[in-house]
Amino acid sequence: QSVLTQPPSVSGAPGQRVTISCTGSSSNIGAGYVVHWYQQFPGTAPKLLIYEDNNRPSGVPDRFSGSKSGTSASLAITGLQVEDEADYYCQSYDINLSEVFGTGTKVTVL
Amino acid sequence: QITLKESGPTLVKPTQTLTLTCTFSGFSLSTSGVGVGWIRQPPGKAPEWLSLIYWTDDKRYSPSLKSRLTITKDTSKNQVVLTMTNMGPVDRATYYCAHRRGYSSSGVFDYWGQGTLVTVSP
C-alpha cells in the first residue's frame, strides 16, 4: 500500500496533452524529496523517464516533462503518441518508509 | 553500457529462504556514488523497494521487510546478493535489481535488470 497516490488510469487521443498526478504528504514529496518517474510496458522492466522532478535522461523525448508543487508531483505528456501507452510510476523518498513508489497509472491512447 | 541481470530460483516453497543474485556490468560497486538496489513487483501491482547497498557497503532495507532481508556485495565478481527468509505466497513477484545513481535520498534507479519471476508454492 503505497503512500504516493496516482490515478489508476488516464486517457487521451493522439496529439493531446495528458497529466498524471502523484500525491504524497509532508513526509515525502512535501518534505522536499525529489520525484522520479518510470515508464513500464507489459512484461518489461520499468524505465527511467524523469529524474529529480523535471530532468529527462538522454534519449527520452521532450514531450515528457515533470513538475512538483507542495505535496504533489505531475508528469505531463504533450503530443500523446500511440507508443506512449504504458504504465507510469512515480517514486520518491519517505522519512518513515525510505524509497517509495506510486500506485501507478495506466495511460491509454484512444 | 550498464546492464544488470537477476538470477535465482523461479519456485520456492513456503517458509524457505530465497537467494537472488544480481550480476552486472558497465560499472563498479567500488565507484563513489554507486549503489545497487532490489525492487519487486507483484503481478498487476506497483513496484515495491526492498533493499539497497552502496559502494561503501552501507546497506538499507525496507522497514516492513527488514527482519527478513540481507543484502551483500562481491565487488570482484560484480555481484549483489539478496536473501529473503520465510517466503510466503504473498511474496510472489518479479524481482528486479537496479543500478542506483546517487548516495542520498535523491538517488535514482536509472538502469534495471530484466527481472525474474519468483513463485511461492508447495
Side-chain angles (χ1 to χ4, degrees), chain A residues 43-45, chain B residues 4-11 18-22 38-43 50 82 87 91-97 112-119:
Chain A
T44 69
Chain B
L4 306 98
K5 189 172 183 179
E6 307 84 357
S7 59
T10 57
L11 179 67
L18 172 69
T19 299
L20 294 172
T21 300
C22 176
W38 286 93
I39 302 103
R40 71 178 179 180
Q41 186 173 28
L50 301 176
L82 180 76
M87 293 290 286
D91 297 313
R92 179 175 185 262
T94 296
Y95 287 73
Y96 297 99
C97 63
W112 295 57
Q114 64 187 28
T116 183
L117 176 62
V118 177
T119 300

PDB file of all heavy atoms in Angstrom, chain A residues 43-45, chain B residues 4-11 18-22 38-43 50 82 87 91-97 112-119:
ATOM      1  N   GLY A  43       5.308  -6.747 -19.413  1.00  0.00           N
ATOM      2  CA  GLY A  43       6.341  -7.765 -19.496  1.00  0.00           C
ATOM      3  C   GLY A  43       7.768  -7.250 -19.508  1.00  0.00           C
ATOM      4  O   GLY A  43       8.693  -8.040 -19.708  1.00  0.00           O
ATOM      5  N   THR A  44       7.930  -5.955 -19.295  1.00  0.00           N
ATOM      6  CA  THR A  44       9.291  -5.400 -19.284  1.00  0.00           C
ATOM      7  C   THR A  44       9.546  -4.664 -17.973  1.00  0.00           C
ATOM      8  O   THR A  44       8.625  -4.359 -17.218  1.00  0.00           O
ATOM      9  CB  THR A  44       9.519  -4.440 -20.455  1.00  0.00           C
ATOM     10  OG1 THR A  44       8.730  -3.261 -20.261  1.00  0.00           O
ATOM     11  CG2 THR A  44       9.150  -5.086 -21.781  1.00  0.00           C
ATOM     12  N   ALA A  45      10.824  -4.348 -17.741  1.00  0.00           N
ATOM     13  CA  ALA A  45      11.198  -3.628 -16.530  1.00  0.00           C
ATOM     14  C   ALA A  45      10.852  -2.150 -16.645  1.00  0.00           C
ATOM     15  O   ALA A  45      10.794  -1.599 -17.761  1.00  0.00           O
ATOM     16  CB  ALA A  45      12.693  -3.783 -16.299  1.00  0.00           C
TER      17      ALA A  45
ATOM     18  N   LEU B   4      22.310  -5.224 -16.087  1.00  0.00           N
ATOM     19  CA  LEU B   4      22.128  -6.000 -14.861  1.00  0.00           C
ATOM     20  C   LEU B   4      21.246  -7.188 -15.193  1.00  0.00           C
ATOM     21  O   LEU B   4      20.341  -7.094 -16.032  1.00  0.00           O
ATOM     22  CB  LEU B   4      21.475  -5.165 -13.756  1.00  0.00           C
ATOM     23  CG  LEU B   4      22.122  -3.852 -13.389  1.00  0.00           C
ATOM     24  CD1 LEU B   4      21.415  -2.697 -14.103  1.00  0.00           C
ATOM     25  CD2 LEU B   4      22.123  -3.623 -11.896  1.00  0.00           C
ATOM     26  N   LYS B   5      21.491  -8.287 -14.504  1.00  0.00           N
ATOM     27  CA  LYS B   5      20.669  -9.478 -14.718  1.00  0.00           C
ATOM     28  C   LYS B   5      20.492 -10.218 -13.411  1.00  0.00           C
ATOM     29  O   LYS B   5      21.463 -10.487 -12.697  1.00  0.00           O
ATOM     30  CB  LYS B   5      21.286 -10.395 -15.764  1.00  0.00           C
ATOM     31  CG  LYS B   5      20.368 -11.539 -16.172  1.00  0.00           C
ATOM     32  CD  LYS B   5      20.914 -12.324 -17.343  1.00  0.00           C
ATOM     33  CE  LYS B   5      19.936 -13.411 -17.774  1.00  0.00           C
ATOM     34  NZ  LYS B   5      20.432 -14.185 -18.933  1.00  0.00           N
ATOM     35  N   GLU B   6      19.249 -10.556 -13.134  1.00  0.00           N
ATOM     36  CA  GLU B   6      18.904 -11.287 -11.927  1.00  0.00           C
ATOM     37  C   GLU B   6      18.918 -12.797 -12.192  1.00  0.00           C
ATOM     38  O   GLU B   6      18.534 -13.239 -13.282  1.00  0.00           O
ATOM     39  CB  GLU B   6      17.498 -10.892 -11.446  1.00  0.00           C
ATOM     40  CG  GLU B   6      17.266  -9.418 -11.261  1.00  0.00           C
ATOM     41  CD  GLU B   6      16.894  -8.693 -12.565  1.00  0.00           C
ATOM     42  OE1 GLU B   6      16.876  -9.357 -13.634  1.00  0.00           O
ATOM     43  OE2 GLU B   6      16.632  -7.490 -12.537  1.00  0.00           O
ATOM     44  N   SER B   7      19.328 -13.547 -11.193  1.00  0.00           N
ATOM     45  CA  SER B   7      19.283 -14.999 -11.314  1.00  0.00           C
ATOM     46  C   SER B   7      18.915 -15.599  -9.963  1.00  0.00           C
ATOM     47  O   SER B   7      19.195 -15.019  -8.903  1.00  0.00           O
ATOM     48  CB  SER B   7      20.619 -15.559 -11.817  1.00  0.00           C
ATOM     49  OG  SER B   7      21.667 -15.215 -10.940  1.00  0.00           O
ATOM     50  N   GLY B   8      18.286 -16.766 -10.035  1.00  0.00           N
ATOM     51  CA  GLY B   8      17.864 -17.440  -8.824  1.00  0.00           C
ATOM     52  C   GLY B   8      16.720 -18.369  -9.130  1.00  0.00           C
ATOM     53  O   GLY B   8      16.311 -18.519 -10.291  1.00  0.00           O
ATOM     54  N   PRO B   9      16.162 -19.004  -8.102  1.00  0.00           N
ATOM     55  CA  PRO B   9      15.070 -19.947  -8.334  1.00  0.00           C
ATOM     56  C   PRO B   9      13.802 -19.245  -8.772  1.00  0.00           C
ATOM     57  O   PRO B   9      13.523 -18.120  -8.350  1.00  0.00           O
ATOM     58  CB  PRO B   9      14.889 -20.601  -6.957  1.00  0.00           C
ATOM     59  CG  PRO B   9      15.357 -19.581  -5.992  1.00  0.00           C
ATOM     60  CD  PRO B   9      16.487 -18.861  -6.677  1.00  0.00           C
ATOM     61  N   THR B  10      13.050 -19.903  -9.615  1.00  0.00           N
ATOM     62  CA  THR B  10      11.761 -19.352 -10.031  1.00  0.00           C
ATOM     63  C   THR B  10      10.642 -19.863  -9.135  1.00  0.00           C
ATOM     64  O   THR B  10       9.548 -19.302  -9.126  1.00  0.00           O
ATOM     65  CB  THR B  10      11.449 -19.736 -11.482  1.00  0.00           C
ATOM     66  OG1 THR B  10      11.478 -21.168 -11.591  1.00  0.00           O
ATOM     67  CG2 THR B  10      12.480 -19.146 -12.427  1.00  0.00           C
ATOM     68  N   LEU B  11      10.931 -20.911  -8.376  1.00  0.00           N
ATOM     69  CA  LEU B  11       9.934 -21.502  -7.484  1.00  0.00           C
ATOM     70  C   LEU B  11      10.578 -21.836  -6.145  1.00  0.00           C
ATOM     71  O   LEU B  11      11.630 -22.487  -6.102  1.00  0.00           O
ATOM     72  CB  LEU B  11       9.352 -22.775  -8.117  1.00  0.00           C
ATOM     73  CG  LEU B  11       8.317 -23.540  -7.301  1.00  0.00           C
ATOM     74  CD1 LEU B  11       7.048 -22.702  -7.154  1.00  0.00           C
ATOM     75  CD2 LEU B  11       7.986 -24.884  -7.967  1.00  0.00           C
ATOM     76  N   LEU B  18      14.762 -17.367   0.024  1.00  0.00           N
ATOM     77  CA  LEU B  18      15.033 -17.026  -1.369  1.00  0.00           C
ATOM     78  C   LEU B  18      16.399 -16.346  -1.459  1.00  0.00           C
ATOM     79  O   LEU B  18      16.685 -15.424  -0.684  1.00  0.00           O
ATOM     80  CB  LEU B  18      13.962 -16.089  -1.906  1.00  0.00           C
ATOM     81  CG  LEU B  18      14.202 -15.481  -3.289  1.00  0.00           C
ATOM     82  CD1 LEU B  18      14.110 -16.554  -4.370  1.00  0.00           C
ATOM     83  CD2 LEU B  18      13.215 -14.354  -3.557  1.00  0.00           C
ATOM     84  N   THR B  19      17.215 -16.814  -2.392  1.00  0.00           N
ATOM     85  CA  THR B  19      18.501 -16.163  -2.643  1.00  0.00           C
ATOM     86  C   THR B  19      18.565 -15.747  -4.104  1.00  0.00           C
ATOM     87  O   THR B  19      18.463 -16.595  -4.997  1.00  0.00           O
ATOM     88  CB  THR B  19      19.678 -17.103  -2.315  1.00  0.00           C
ATOM     89  OG1 THR B  19      19.632 -17.458  -0.935  1.00  0.00           O
ATOM     90  CG2 THR B  19      21.007 -16.408  -2.609  1.00  0.00           C
ATOM     91  N   LEU B  20      18.693 -14.453  -4.325  1.00  0.00           N
ATOM     92  CA  LEU B  20      18.768 -13.903  -5.669  1.00  0.00           C
ATOM     93  C   LEU B  20      20.119 -13.235  -5.876  1.00  0.00           C
ATOM     94  O   LEU B  20      20.625 -12.558  -4.979  1.00  0.00           O
ATOM     95  CB  LEU B  20      17.657 -12.887  -5.904  1.00  0.00           C
ATOM     96  CG  LEU B  20      16.224 -13.422  -5.918  1.00  0.00           C
ATOM     97  CD1 LEU B  20      15.237 -12.258  -5.967  1.00  0.00           C
ATOM     98  CD2 LEU B  20      16.008 -14.350  -7.084  1.00  0.00           C
ATOM     99  N   THR B  21      20.653 -13.409  -7.067  1.00  0.00           N
ATOM    100  CA  THR B  21      21.934 -12.798  -7.418  1.00  0.00           C
ATOM    101  C   THR B  21      21.734 -11.817  -8.561  1.00  0.00           C
ATOM    102  O   THR B  21      21.040 -12.127  -9.535  1.00  0.00           O
ATOM    103  CB  THR B  21      22.956 -13.859  -7.829  1.00  0.00           C
ATOM    104  OG1 THR B  21      23.161 -14.771  -6.747  1.00  0.00           O
ATOM    105  CG2 THR B  21      24.289 -13.223  -8.208  1.00  0.00           C
ATOM    106  N   CYS B  22      22.311 -10.654  -8.413  1.00  0.00           N
ATOM    107  CA  CYS B  22      22.320  -9.644  -9.472  1.00  0.00           C
ATOM    108  C   CYS B  22      23.744  -9.561 -10.004  1.00  0.00           C
ATOM    109  O   CYS B  22      24.669  -9.231  -9.255  1.00  0.00           O
ATOM    110  CB  CYS B  22      21.881  -8.302  -8.923  1.00  0.00           C
ATOM    111  SG  CYS B  22      21.969  -6.937 -10.113  1.00  0.00           S
ATOM    112  N   TRP B  38      17.314  -3.532  -4.931  1.00  0.00           N
ATOM    113  CA  TRP B  38      16.363  -4.576  -5.290  1.00  0.00           C
ATOM    114  C   TRP B  38      14.949  -4.014  -5.136  1.00  0.00           C
ATOM    115  O   TRP B  38      14.632  -3.366  -4.136  1.00  0.00           O
ATOM    116  CB  TRP B  38      16.534  -5.809  -4.404  1.00  0.00           C
ATOM    117  CG  TRP B  38      17.740  -6.636  -4.718  1.00  0.00           C
ATOM    118  CD1 TRP B  38      18.966  -6.543  -4.150  1.00  0.00           C
ATOM    119  CD2 TRP B  38      17.818  -7.676  -5.701  1.00  0.00           C
ATOM    120  NE1 TRP B  38      19.820  -7.462  -4.717  1.00  0.00           N
ATOM    121  CE2 TRP B  38      19.141  -8.171  -5.673  1.00  0.00           C
ATOM    122  CE3 TRP B  38      16.918  -8.248  -6.607  1.00  0.00           C
ATOM    123  CZ2 TRP B  38      19.582  -9.215  -6.505  1.00  0.00           C
ATOM    124  CZ3 TRP B  38      17.348  -9.270  -7.420  1.00  0.00           C
ATOM    125  CH2 TRP B  38      18.663  -9.749  -7.378  1.00  0.00           C
ATOM    126  N   ILE B  39      14.158  -4.290  -6.139  1.00  0.00           N
ATOM    127  CA  ILE B  39      12.766  -3.857  -6.158  1.00  0.00           C
ATOM    128  C   ILE B  39      11.947  -5.053  -6.642  1.00  0.00           C
ATOM    129  O   ILE B  39      12.367  -5.779  -7.538  1.00  0.00           O
ATOM    130  CB  ILE B  39      12.561  -2.683  -7.141  1.00  0.00           C
ATOM    131  CG1 ILE B  39      13.455  -1.502  -6.772  1.00  0.00           C
ATOM    132  CG2 ILE B  39      11.110  -2.249  -7.202  1.00  0.00           C
ATOM    133  CD1 ILE B  39      14.694  -1.351  -7.654  1.00  0.00           C
ATOM    134  N   ARG B  40      10.783  -5.264  -6.060  1.00  0.00           N
ATOM    135  CA  ARG B  40       9.926  -6.340  -6.544  1.00  0.00           C
ATOM    136  C   ARG B  40       8.581  -5.775  -6.985  1.00  0.00           C
ATOM    137  O   ARG B  40       8.191  -4.675  -6.579  1.00  0.00           O
ATOM    138  CB  ARG B  40       9.721  -7.412  -5.481  1.00  0.00           C
ATOM    139  CG  ARG B  40       8.848  -6.999  -4.302  1.00  0.00           C
ATOM    140  CD  ARG B  40       8.674  -8.166  -3.326  1.00  0.00           C
ATOM    141  NE  ARG B  40       7.873  -7.799  -2.174  1.00  0.00           N
ATOM    142  CZ  ARG B  40       7.573  -8.639  -1.184  1.00  0.00           C
ATOM    143  NH1 ARG B  40       8.017  -9.895  -1.215  1.00  0.00           N
ATOM    144  NH2 ARG B  40       6.839  -8.226  -0.163  1.00  0.00           N
ATOM    145  N   GLN B  41       7.900  -6.540  -7.816  1.00  0.00           N
ATOM    146  CA  GLN B  41       6.616  -6.085  -8.339  1.00  0.00           C
ATOM    147  C   GLN B  41       5.677  -7.283  -8.471  1.00  0.00           C
ATOM    148  O   GLN B  41       5.845  -8.108  -9.375  1.00  0.00           O
ATOM    149  CB  GLN B  41       6.814  -5.402  -9.702  1.00  0.00           C
ATOM    150  CG  GLN B  41       5.568  -4.774 -10.264  1.00  0.00           C
ATOM    151  CD  GLN B  41       5.847  -3.977 -11.527  1.00  0.00           C
ATOM    152  OE1 GLN B  41       6.776  -4.261 -12.282  1.00  0.00           O
ATOM    153  NE2 GLN B  41       5.026  -2.954 -11.777  1.00  0.00           N
ATOM    154  N   PRO B  42       4.691  -7.381  -7.585  1.00  0.00           N
ATOM    155  CA  PRO B  42       3.684  -8.449  -7.737  1.00  0.00           C
ATOM    156  C   PRO B  42       2.921  -8.257  -9.034  1.00  0.00           C
ATOM    157  O   PRO B  42       2.776  -7.122  -9.511  1.00  0.00           O
ATOM    158  CB  PRO B  42       2.773  -8.252  -6.522  1.00  0.00           C
ATOM    159  CG  PRO B  42       3.593  -7.469  -5.548  1.00  0.00           C
ATOM    160  CD  PRO B  42       4.457  -6.589  -6.383  1.00  0.00           C
ATOM    161  N   PRO B  43       2.432  -9.335  -9.622  1.00  0.00           N
ATOM    162  CA  PRO B  43       1.700  -9.219 -10.891  1.00  0.00           C
ATOM    163  C   PRO B  43       0.565  -8.209 -10.798  1.00  0.00           C
ATOM    164  O   PRO B  43      -0.263  -8.266  -9.879  1.00  0.00           O
ATOM    165  CB  PRO B  43       1.173 -10.634 -11.111  1.00  0.00           C
ATOM    166  CG  PRO B  43       2.133 -11.514 -10.381  1.00  0.00           C
ATOM    167  CD  PRO B  43       2.562 -10.733  -9.189  1.00  0.00           C
ATOM    168  N   LEU B  50      12.913  -2.908  -1.914  1.00  0.00           N
ATOM    169  CA  LEU B  50      13.292  -3.873  -0.885  1.00  0.00           C
ATOM    170  C   LEU B  50      14.576  -3.491  -0.157  1.00  0.00           C
ATOM    171  O   LEU B  50      14.625  -3.468   1.071  1.00  0.00           O
ATOM    172  CB  LEU B  50      13.478  -5.259  -1.500  1.00  0.00           C
ATOM    173  CG  LEU B  50      12.290  -5.884  -2.225  1.00  0.00           C
ATOM    174  CD1 LEU B  50      12.692  -7.203  -2.857  1.00  0.00           C
ATOM    175  CD2 LEU B  50      11.122  -6.048  -1.276  1.00  0.00           C
ATOM    176  N   LEU B  82      20.801 -10.882  -2.682  1.00  0.00           N
ATOM    177  CA  LEU B  82      19.713 -10.574  -1.747  1.00  0.00           C
ATOM    178  C   LEU B  82      19.128 -11.882  -1.237  1.00  0.00           C
ATOM    179  O   LEU B  82      18.825 -12.773  -2.039  1.00  0.00           O
ATOM    180  CB  LEU B  82      18.605  -9.770  -2.423  1.00  0.00           C
ATOM    181  CG  LEU B  82      17.428  -9.402  -1.513  1.00  0.00           C
ATOM    182  CD1 LEU B  82      17.818  -8.253  -0.587  1.00  0.00           C
ATOM    183  CD2 LEU B  82      16.191  -9.030  -2.334  1.00  0.00           C
ATOM    184  N   MET B  87       9.734 -17.229   3.079  1.00  0.00           N
ATOM    185  CA  MET B  87       8.917 -16.870   1.920  1.00  0.00           C
ATOM    186  C   MET B  87       7.498 -17.405   2.059  1.00  0.00           C
ATOM    187  O   MET B  87       7.271 -18.510   2.577  1.00  0.00           O
ATOM    188  CB  MET B  87       9.562 -17.417   0.648  1.00  0.00           C
ATOM    189  CG  MET B  87      10.885 -16.760   0.305  1.00  0.00           C
ATOM    190  SD  MET B  87      10.678 -15.060  -0.240  1.00  0.00           S
ATOM    191  CE  MET B  87      10.004 -15.325  -1.877  1.00  0.00           C
ATOM    192  N   ASP B  91       4.693 -13.234  -1.413  1.00  0.00           N
ATOM    193  CA  ASP B  91       5.985 -12.803  -1.934  1.00  0.00           C
ATOM    194  C   ASP B  91       6.152 -13.131  -3.416  1.00  0.00           C
ATOM    195  O   ASP B  91       7.207 -12.859  -4.001  1.00  0.00           O
ATOM    196  CB  ASP B  91       7.128 -13.447  -1.137  1.00  0.00           C
ATOM    197  CG  ASP B  91       7.129 -13.017   0.312  1.00  0.00           C
ATOM    198  OD1 ASP B  91       7.000 -11.797   0.567  1.00  0.00           O
ATOM    199  OD2 ASP B  91       7.249 -13.888   1.192  1.00  0.00           O
ATOM    200  N   ARG B  92       5.103 -13.683  -4.017  1.00  0.00           N
ATOM    201  CA  ARG B  92       5.158 -13.941  -5.452  1.00  0.00           C
ATOM    202  C   ARG B  92       5.239 -12.619  -6.196  1.00  0.00           C
ATOM    203  O   ARG B  92       4.368 -11.753  -6.052  1.00  0.00           O
ATOM    204  CB  ARG B  92       3.940 -14.720  -5.927  1.00  0.00           C
ATOM    205  CG  ARG B  92       3.938 -14.994  -7.434  1.00  0.00           C
ATOM    206  CD  ARG B  92       2.763 -15.869  -7.856  1.00  0.00           C
ATOM    207  NE  ARG B  92       2.844 -16.221  -9.264  1.00  0.00           N
ATOM    208  CZ  ARG B  92       2.184 -15.587 -10.235  1.00  0.00           C
ATOM    209  NH1 ARG B  92       1.375 -14.591  -9.944  1.00  0.00           N
ATOM    210  NH2 ARG B  92       2.318 -15.971 -11.492  1.00  0.00           N
ATOM    211  N   ALA B  93       6.294 -12.467  -6.965  1.00  0.00           N
ATOM    212  CA  ALA B  93       6.521 -11.190  -7.653  1.00  0.00           C
ATOM    213  C   ALA B  93       7.673 -11.336  -8.639  1.00  0.00           C
ATOM    214  O   ALA B  93       8.411 -12.315  -8.602  1.00  0.00           O
ATOM    215  CB  ALA B  93       6.863 -10.092  -6.647  1.00  0.00           C
ATOM    216  N   THR B  94       7.795 -10.345  -9.494  1.00  0.00           N
ATOM    217  CA  THR B  94       9.004 -10.221 -10.307  1.00  0.00           C
ATOM    218  C   THR B  94       9.994  -9.399  -9.498  1.00  0.00           C
ATOM    219  O   THR B  94       9.658  -8.313  -9.015  1.00  0.00           O
ATOM    220  CB  THR B  94       8.704  -9.537 -11.647  1.00  0.00           C
ATOM    221  OG1 THR B  94       7.814 -10.362 -12.410  1.00  0.00           O
ATOM    222  CG2 THR B  94       9.991  -9.336 -12.439  1.00  0.00           C
ATOM    223  N   TYR B  95      11.187  -9.931  -9.346  1.00  0.00           N
ATOM    224  CA  TYR B  95      12.227  -9.274  -8.564  1.00  0.00           C
ATOM    225  C   TYR B  95      13.243  -8.652  -9.520  1.00  0.00           C
ATOM    226  O   TYR B  95      13.785  -9.344 -10.384  1.00  0.00           O
ATOM    227  CB  TYR B  95      12.890 -10.271  -7.621  1.00  0.00           C
ATOM    228  CG  TYR B  95      12.007 -10.662  -6.454  1.00  0.00           C
ATOM    229  CD1 TYR B  95      10.913 -11.508  -6.637  1.00  0.00           C
ATOM    230  CD2 TYR B  95      12.223 -10.148  -5.181  1.00  0.00           C
ATOM    231  CE1 TYR B  95      10.070 -11.845  -5.587  1.00  0.00           C
ATOM    232  CE2 TYR B  95      11.395 -10.488  -4.109  1.00  0.00           C
ATOM    233  CZ  TYR B  95      10.318 -11.330  -4.327  1.00  0.00           C
ATOM    234  OH  TYR B  95       9.491 -11.657  -3.271  1.00  0.00           O
ATOM    235  N   TYR B  96      13.471  -7.362  -9.346  1.00  0.00           N
ATOM    236  CA  TYR B  96      14.405  -6.614 -10.180  1.00  0.00           C
ATOM    237  C   TYR B  96      15.586  -6.125  -9.345  1.00  0.00           C
ATOM    238  O   TYR B  96      15.411  -5.736  -8.188  1.00  0.00           O
ATOM    239  CB  TYR B  96      13.750  -5.364 -10.766  1.00  0.00           C
ATOM    240  CG  TYR B  96      12.584  -5.583 -11.692  1.00  0.00           C
ATOM    241  CD1 TYR B  96      11.271  -5.451 -11.239  1.00  0.00           C
ATOM    242  CD2 TYR B  96      12.781  -5.870 -13.038  1.00  0.00           C
ATOM    243  CE1 TYR B  96      10.192  -5.621 -12.084  1.00  0.00           C
ATOM    244  CE2 TYR B  96      11.704  -6.037 -13.906  1.00  0.00           C
ATOM    245  CZ  TYR B  96      10.415  -5.911 -13.417  1.00  0.00           C
ATOM    246  OH  TYR B  96       9.344  -6.074 -14.270  1.00  0.00           O
ATOM    247  N   CYS B  97      16.753  -6.109  -9.966  1.00  0.00           N
ATOM    248  CA  CYS B  97      17.849  -5.339  -9.391  1.00  0.00           C
ATOM    249  C   CYS B  97      18.069  -4.137 -10.303  1.00  0.00           C
ATOM    250  O   CYS B  97      17.739  -4.172 -11.501  1.00  0.00           O
ATOM    251  CB  CYS B  97      19.122  -6.160  -9.217  1.00  0.00           C
ATOM    252  SG  CYS B  97      19.894  -6.811 -10.719  1.00  0.00           S
ATOM    253  N   TRP B 112      17.770  -0.883 -14.983  1.00  0.00           N
ATOM    254  CA  TRP B 112      17.124  -2.022 -14.357  1.00  0.00           C
ATOM    255  C   TRP B 112      17.470  -3.312 -15.086  1.00  0.00           C
ATOM    256  O   TRP B 112      17.676  -3.317 -16.306  1.00  0.00           O
ATOM    257  CB  TRP B 112      15.607  -1.842 -14.391  1.00  0.00           C
ATOM    258  CG  TRP B 112      15.086  -0.696 -13.576  1.00  0.00           C
ATOM    259  CD1 TRP B 112      15.430   0.629 -13.692  1.00  0.00           C
ATOM    260  CD2 TRP B 112      14.093  -0.753 -12.549  1.00  0.00           C
ATOM    261  NE1 TRP B 112      14.730   1.382 -12.793  1.00  0.00           N
ATOM    262  CE2 TRP B 112      13.893   0.568 -12.075  1.00  0.00           C
ATOM    263  CE3 TRP B 112      13.350  -1.791 -11.975  1.00  0.00           C
ATOM    264  CZ2 TRP B 112      12.982   0.868 -11.053  1.00  0.00           C
ATOM    265  CZ3 TRP B 112      12.441  -1.497 -10.967  1.00  0.00           C
ATOM    266  CH2 TRP B 112      12.265  -0.184 -10.522  1.00  0.00           C
ATOM    267  N   GLY B 113      17.486  -4.394 -14.333  1.00  0.00           N
ATOM    268  CA  GLY B 113      17.596  -5.699 -14.952  1.00  0.00           C
ATOM    269  C   GLY B 113      16.255  -6.098 -15.556  1.00  0.00           C
ATOM    270  O   GLY B 113      15.257  -5.398 -15.400  1.00  0.00           O
ATOM    271  N   GLN B 114      16.229  -7.220 -16.215  1.00  0.00           N
ATOM    272  CA  GLN B 114      15.007  -7.680 -16.872  1.00  0.00           C
ATOM    273  C   GLN B 114      14.001  -8.260 -15.885  1.00  0.00           C
ATOM    274  O   GLN B 114      12.826  -8.399 -16.198  1.00  0.00           O
ATOM    275  CB  GLN B 114      15.354  -8.733 -17.926  1.00  0.00           C
ATOM    276  CG  GLN B 114      15.971 -10.007 -17.338  1.00  0.00           C
ATOM    277  CD  GLN B 114      16.462 -10.978 -18.412  1.00  0.00           C
ATOM    278  OE1 GLN B 114      16.831 -10.560 -19.522  1.00  0.00           O
ATOM    279  NE2 GLN B 114      16.495 -12.257 -18.106  1.00  0.00           N
ATOM    280  N   GLY B 115      14.466  -8.606 -14.701  1.00  0.00           N
ATOM    281  CA  GLY B 115      13.581  -9.154 -13.684  1.00  0.00           C
ATOM    282  C   GLY B 115      13.469 -10.660 -13.750  1.00  0.00           C
ATOM    283  O   GLY B 115      13.677 -11.276 -14.802  1.00  0.00           O
ATOM    284  N   THR B 116      13.137 -11.243 -12.606  1.00  0.00           N
ATOM    285  CA  THR B 116      12.916 -12.681 -12.538  1.00  0.00           C
ATOM    286  C   THR B 116      11.675 -12.941 -11.688  1.00  0.00           C
ATOM    287  O   THR B 116      11.555 -12.414 -10.581  1.00  0.00           O
ATOM    288  CB  THR B 116      14.143 -13.423 -11.965  1.00  0.00           C
ATOM    289  OG1 THR B 116      13.908 -14.831 -11.992  1.00  0.00           O
ATOM    290  CG2 THR B 116      14.455 -13.003 -10.534  1.00  0.00           C
ATOM    291  N   LEU B 117      10.758 -13.720 -12.243  1.00  0.00           N
ATOM    292  CA  LEU B 117       9.513 -14.011 -11.539  1.00  0.00           C
ATOM    293  C   LEU B 117       9.724 -15.147 -10.550  1.00  0.00           C
ATOM    294  O   LEU B 117      10.188 -16.228 -10.925  1.00  0.00           O
ATOM    295  CB  LEU B 117       8.414 -14.384 -12.535  1.00  0.00           C
ATOM    296  CG  LEU B 117       7.063 -14.813 -11.934  1.00  0.00           C
ATOM    297  CD1 LEU B 117       6.448 -13.678 -11.128  1.00  0.00           C
ATOM    298  CD2 LEU B 117       6.111 -15.282 -13.030  1.00  0.00           C
ATOM    299  N   VAL B 118       9.388 -14.884  -9.302  1.00  0.00           N
ATOM    300  CA  VAL B 118       9.518 -15.894  -8.248  1.00  0.00           C
ATOM    301  C   VAL B 118       8.130 -16.269  -7.743  1.00  0.00           C
ATOM    302  O   VAL B 118       7.345 -15.396  -7.376  1.00  0.00           O
ATOM    303  CB  VAL B 118      10.380 -15.370  -7.088  1.00  0.00           C
ATOM    304  CG1 VAL B 118      10.442 -16.407  -5.972  1.00  0.00           C
ATOM    305  CG2 VAL B 118      11.788 -15.016  -7.576  1.00  0.00           C
ATOM    306  N   THR B 119       7.847 -17.543  -7.753  1.00  0.00           N
ATOM    307  CA  THR B 119       6.568 -18.057  -7.266  1.00  0.00           C
ATOM    308  C   THR B 119       6.815 -18.859  -5.991  1.00  0.00           C
ATOM    309  O   THR B 119       7.828 -19.549  -5.870  1.00  0.00           O
ATOM    310  CB  THR B 119       5.910 -18.952  -8.330  1.00  0.00           C
ATOM    311  OG1 THR B 119       5.685 -18.156  -9.508  1.00  0.00           O
ATOM    312  CG2 THR B 119       4.580 -19.501  -7.849  1.00  0.00           C
TER     313      THR B 119
END
